[in-house]
Amino acid sequence: MPFGRNGLVSGLVGFGQARSVSAYSEGAIIWQPYYNDFRARYHRQFGELAVSYFFPGRRSGLTVGAAYRLSGVRFDELTYNGQPVGVRRLTRHEPMAFCRFGTPESALPWLQVQLALGASSEPRRAFDPTRTYAEARVREGIPYMAVSVVLLPHLFRTTPAEPPR
């Protein structure tokens, strides 16, 4: 939904499923290194609300914005170093700020680049000393930075098509 001449409020809902592997060594400087191997198969549902503003002008091509996503994750399988982890469901809060570069008046009107900074975290929970290391790692919040290439296929054609005869 547009607001003003250059603003936009948008929403999005979605779902998906994935397989994921995260394997890395940790603690090599101070302690003996140990290996972490997380493997997951999961489903995810989410809803997102975003607001953005395009700075007008042929030269700027800058859009800035913020988004908030609420995700529900259901694990079909989750293991740490081959052992099952006792987490079946997670709720994640995911705020994000972004800036996008590109404009329909540029040399490549169908191409934009986006830089995003955000975080993914669980709602605040009380400390639970019975939580395993693996469960704590799965539940911890993480910051992220993403660089994305945005393709706008509806702008591939630079000249209007001839009207039918």
Side-chain angles (χ1 to χ4, degrees), residues 122-150:
E122 220 184 354
R124 185 172 284 278
R125 291 179 170 248
F127 174 72
D128 182 354
T130 64
R131 193 174 285 160
T132 66
Y133 170 81
E135 184 178 344
R137 291 302 298 258
V138 168
R139 292 182 179 280
E140 78 182 352
I142 56 166
Y144 66 86
M145 181 177 86
V147 176
S148 305
V149 174
V150 180

Side-chain angles (χ1 to χ4, degrees), residues 6-76:
N6 299 307
L8 180 67
V9 174
S10 58
L12 174 69
V13 294
F15 64 92
Q17 64 183 25
R19 287 180 178 258
S20 171
V21 174
S22 177
Y24 55 94
S25 290
E26 194 171 35
I29 296 173
I30 299 173
W31 300 284
Q32 188 73 348
Y34 54 96
Y35 186 68
N36 295 287
D37 181 11
F38 288 94
R39 296 175 184 267
R41 200 174 75 232
Y42 59 93
H43 292 79
R44 177 178 168 169
Q45 300 167 348
F46 64 88
E48 179 178 295
L49 184 61
V51 61
S52 62
Y53 182 82
F54 174 72
F55 289 92
R58 291 179 61 103
R59 299 199 57 166
S60 71
L62 174 65
T63 302
V64 296
Y68 171 76
R69 181 178 285 192
L70 180 63
S71 296
V73 181
R74 188 184 79 229
F75 291 100
D76 299 318

Side-chain angles (χ1 to χ4, degrees), residues 99-111:
C99 58
R100 188 176 309 131
F101 305 93
T103 176
E105 290 82 22
S106 69
L108 299 173
W110 46 267
L111 178 67

